Structures are given as C-alpha cells and as structure tokens.
Amino acid sequence: MPPGKFHLKKVSNGQFHFNLLASNGQVILSSEQYKARDSALNGIDSVRRNAKRDGAFEVKESSNGKHYFVLKASNGQVVGQSQMYASLASAEQGCESVRRYAPEALLTEDL
C-alpha cells in the first residue's frame, strides 16, 4: 500500500498549516495554523506519535448531525481535526486511516 503524506504549506497570512493525506490524496486530518515552520513540524511529529496511542481520538457530532474527530496529544491539546463525515461509522474509519497512515507518512512542503 502506498504511504500517506503530510503536506505542509505556508498560508496567505504567513503562518503554516498541514494536512495528512491518504494514499489516494484525500485529506484525513488537518492542523491548526502555526506561526513558525518548526512549530508545524512539531505538530506533525505529535500526530505521528499520538496516532497509535489509545484514547487519542475523540469522535464528535456537530450541530448539523455530521460527525468528525479530533486527535489529541497526551496533554489533551488537539493536534488535528478531520473533515465532516455523514455517519459515525465513516468518522471511525477516518480515525483508522490516521492510525494507518500517520506513523510512516512522507513529508511534502509547499512553502
């Protein structure tokens, strides 16, 4: 199976943001914005570490009834959030995708 990848980019306000992409190119996790590239790289490392940790994922339901998940570091800080999913089962599959792809995902940059 081809690896997933982290895509790190500099956004219009000069801050940095990354997405974790599955091997098919679909975004499965997005980060917050970071002021520095090194901080964003630390965020990627945190996703790699926490993706395999029990209890790191929290699946939530939005006000419109769609589901999404957040990935939390061991200190409780959110290090990434998914897109919206139509069903709880789909959101849970998204968690599994992060567990599968994040630890070995390649890094690409668009700075």
Side-chain angles (χ1 to χ4, degrees):
M1 171 174 59
K5 65 182 173 183
F6 285 101
H7 182 231
L8 175 63
K9 63 184 175 182
K10 193 172 191 176
V11 292
S12 57
N13 64 3
Q15 294 194 359
F16 297 85
H17 168 81
F18 65 83
N19 289 314
L20 173 61
L21 309 174
S23 59
N24 65 3
Q26 181 180 351
V27 174
I28 53 179
L29 187 79
S30 296
S31 75
E32 63 183 6
Q33 291 188 6
Y34 295 90
K35 290 185 170 136
R37 179 179 174 272
D38 285 348
S39 298
L41 292 173
N42 287 340
I44 289 170
D45 286 342
S46 182
V47 171
R48 290 184 198 279
R49 283 192 313 274
N50 288 290
K52 297 263 186 195
R53 188 174 56 79
D54 287 340
F57 290 92
E58 184 178 338
V59 178
K60 299 182 174 196
E61 186 174 347
S62 67
S63 58
N64 66 3
K66 293 191 181 258
H67 292 82
Y68 67 100
F69 63 85
V70 294
L71 174 63
K72 293 183 176 181
S74 54
N75 66 2
Q77 182 178 356
V78 173
V79 292
Q81 180 174 315
S82 74
Q83 309 299 313
M84 293 292 170
Y85 293 93
S87 70
L88 176 60
S90 295
E92 289 172 343
Q93 287 176 335
C95 296
E96 286 303 316
S97 292
V98 173
R99 283 187 190 100
R100 181 169 58 242
Y101 290 113
E104 303 298 324
L106 305 173
L107 175 62
T108 61
E109 298 188 51
D110 184 11
L111 304 178

